[in-house]
């Protein structure tokens, strides 16, 4: 794949993550190969760090740091030997930003997870946001903001093989055990889950096996994976994140929600994009149908993670989680 094709493929994901589209075009137009992606995005992130250092107010500095975190994370999306450093830089920039912008934000870490708890200390519910195959907590800042704006607390985390933990850990099949540890550490009474991409599978699996989950939503989450049909780039990432070919093959074999979906007691919203067609990936309509309280939202023009269609699902998902956790009926 050429640099032009790769940049076009990542366009809505990057802009959906909050990167300025004009800056994205300027950076990607100068790429001569996909190998240039990581270094270019890393340089751009460092440019925002310098802006933060020279900012005229703490607020401006914090906003530049959030932007830097986005660019550092996106640097990891293409094959890049220094991806672990970019992920660490994203984590550090986010930490600095929240220290400045939200002094009440709290870093919460444990065995197999790390992330930031944000929002009111006496919120009516706490939402755990789960990233996917090659995403991380820095990618979904706008989703977190939408949930915070509705009065909820939010814990955006990296789990095994993800984000800041990708360099030192690998995927685990029983991800619900990791989420359970995070819930223990958070000490929250009412828990909602939002899973993005492969995180949607993790969220649905956890909702089926963890009784403390009171609300759940998935975005572009797989119902089932088929190793033989997955595109080679997806398999390559899976091999890297799972810790080898055999481990990746076994992990993919277990991604099947047919038996677990009927056990999801919490109200479930499944969001899919109609243009999100990846060989070897069965989308979430079956999940919504098999779950006792499942609702399916398909956005015909939406692509993977629906970065090109946020007005069509983001508010709806945020309201679903909020109304379920707080017990207030949705507006008609």
């Amino acid at each position: 794949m050429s640099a032009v094709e790769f940049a076009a493929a990542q366009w809505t994901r990057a802009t959906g993550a909050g990167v300025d589209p004009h800056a994205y075009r300027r950076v990607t137009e100068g790429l001569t190969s996909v190998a240039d992606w990581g270094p270019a995005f890393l340089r751009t992130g460092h440019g925002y760090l310098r802006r933060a250092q020279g900012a005229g107010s703490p607020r401006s500095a914090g906003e530049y740091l959030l932007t830097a975190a986005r660019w550092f994370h996106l640097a990891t999306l293409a094959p890049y030997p220094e991806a672990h450093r970019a992920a660490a830089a994203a984590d550090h920039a986010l930490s600095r930003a929240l220290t400045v912008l939200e002094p009440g934000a709290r870093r919460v870490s444990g065995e197999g997870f790390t992330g930031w708890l944000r929002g009111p200390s006496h919120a009516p519910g706490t939402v755990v946001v789960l990233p996917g195959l090659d995403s991380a907590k820095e990618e979904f800042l706008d989703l977190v903001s939408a949930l915070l704006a509705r009065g909820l607390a939010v814990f955006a985390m990296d789990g095994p093989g993800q984000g800041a933990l990708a360099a030192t850990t690998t995927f685990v099949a029983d991800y619900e055990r990791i989420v359970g540890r995070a819930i223990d550490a958070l000490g929250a009474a009412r828990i909602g889950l939002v899973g993005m991409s492969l995180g949607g599978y993790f969220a649905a699996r956890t909702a089926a096996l963890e009784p403390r989950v009171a609300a759940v939503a998935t975005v572009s989450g797989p119902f089932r994976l088929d190793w033989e049909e997955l595109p080679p780039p997806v398999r390559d990432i899976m091999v890297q994140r799972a810790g080898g070919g055999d481990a990746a093959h076994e992990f993919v074999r277990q991604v099947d929600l047919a038996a677990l979906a009927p056990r999801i007691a919490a109200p479930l919203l499944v969001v899919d994009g109609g243009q999100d067609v990846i060989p070897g990936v069965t989308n979430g309509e079956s999940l919504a149908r098999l779950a006792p309280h499942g609702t399916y939202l398909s956005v015909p023009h939406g692509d993977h993670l629906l970065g090109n269609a946020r007005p069509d699902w983001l508010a709806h998902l945020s309201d679903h989680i909020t109304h379920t956790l707080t017990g207030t009926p949705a507006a008609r």
Side-chain angles (χ1 to χ4, degrees):
M1 182 181 291
S2 70
V4 172
E5 292 170 328
F6 188 81
Q10 302 298 329
W11 161 256
T12 59
R13 182 170 177 183
T15 55
V19 162
D20 178 76
H22 304 289
Y24 181 84
R25 284 201 174 102
R26 285 194 297 270
V27 171
T28 57
E29 283 173 354
L31 304 180
T32 58
S33 75
V34 176
D36 297 331
W37 175 281
F41 276 62
L42 200 61
R43 285 195 301 271
T44 305
H46 281 294
Y48 283 101
L49 290 187
R50 290 190 292 272
R51 293 188 187 190
Q53 189 172 10
S57 69
R59 181 77 197 182
S60 295
E63 290 170 351
Y64 283 134
L65 288 166
L66 286 180
T67 302
R70 292 179 169 101
W71 284 94
F72 286 140
H73 163 64
L74 293 173
T76 70
L77 299 188
Y80 180 40
E82 301 297 314
H84 63 287
R85 293 186 178 177
D91 181 71
H92 186 55
L94 177 61
S95 298
R96 290 177 58 194
L98 294 180
T99 299
V100 172
L101 296 174
E102 298 177 29
R106 179 163 60 95
R107 185 76 180 228
V108 181
S109 301
E111 185 180 350
F113 71 91
T114 189
W116 280 90
L117 176 62
R118 302 167 60 186
S121 58
H122 299 292
T126 299
V127 185
V128 181
V129 177
L130 307 179
L133 177 61
D134 59 351
S135 54
K137 62 188 179 301
E138 292 81 19
E139 186 168 339
F140 307 118
L141 296 173
D142 286 356
L143 166 63
V144 171
S145 294
L147 295 166
L148 291 172
R150 287 160 173 78
L152 299 173
V154 184
F155 181 62
M157 63 175 269
D158 293 329
Q162 298 171 319
L165 302 181
T168 56
T169 61
T170 56
F171 282 162
V172 296
D174 54 348
Y175 197 101
E176 72 281 355
R177 181 170 51 90
I178 306 299
V179 179
R181 290 177 187 156
I183 294 172
D184 290 340
L186 296 173
R190 289 187 63 77
I191 291 289
L193 299 180
V194 178
M196 310 298 290
S197 189
L198 185 62
Y201 164 75
F202 293 143
R205 179 185 173 93
T206 301
L209 299 172
E210 170 55 71
R212 290 175 290 181
V213 174
V216 60
T218 71
V219 179
S220 298
F223 178 76
R224 183 182 292 115
L225 295 179
D226 184 332
W227 176 265
E228 300 303 326
E229 295 185 18
L230 288 174
V234 176
R235 282 192 279 184
D236 290 344
I237 298 170
M238 191 71 73
V239 168
Q240 179 185 14
R241 298 299 176 104
D246 291 344
H249 195 280
E250 177 60 20
F251 178 84
V252 167
R253 186 188 67 80
Q254 296 184 61
V255 178
D256 187 336
L257 291 167
L260 289 175
R263 298 175 59 180
I264 299 175
L268 164 70
L269 173 66
V270 176
V271 181
D272 274 340
Q275 302 301 313
D276 182 14
V277 181
I278 303 174
V281 179
T282 302
N283 287 344
E285 186 172 5
S286 296
L287 171 62
R289 186 178 67 253
L290 292 173
H293 306 287
T295 302
Y296 190 58
L297 173 61
S298 178
V299 180
H301 55 279
D303 56 13
H304 189 64
L305 289 172
L306 295 96
N308 66 334
R310 284 193 298 176
D312 297 297
W313 65 272
L314 181 55
H316 184 74
L317 180 149
S318 302
D319 289 342
H320 161 79
I321 293 290
T322 304
H323 297 319
T324 304
L325 289 181
T326 62
T328 58
R332 296 294 181 184

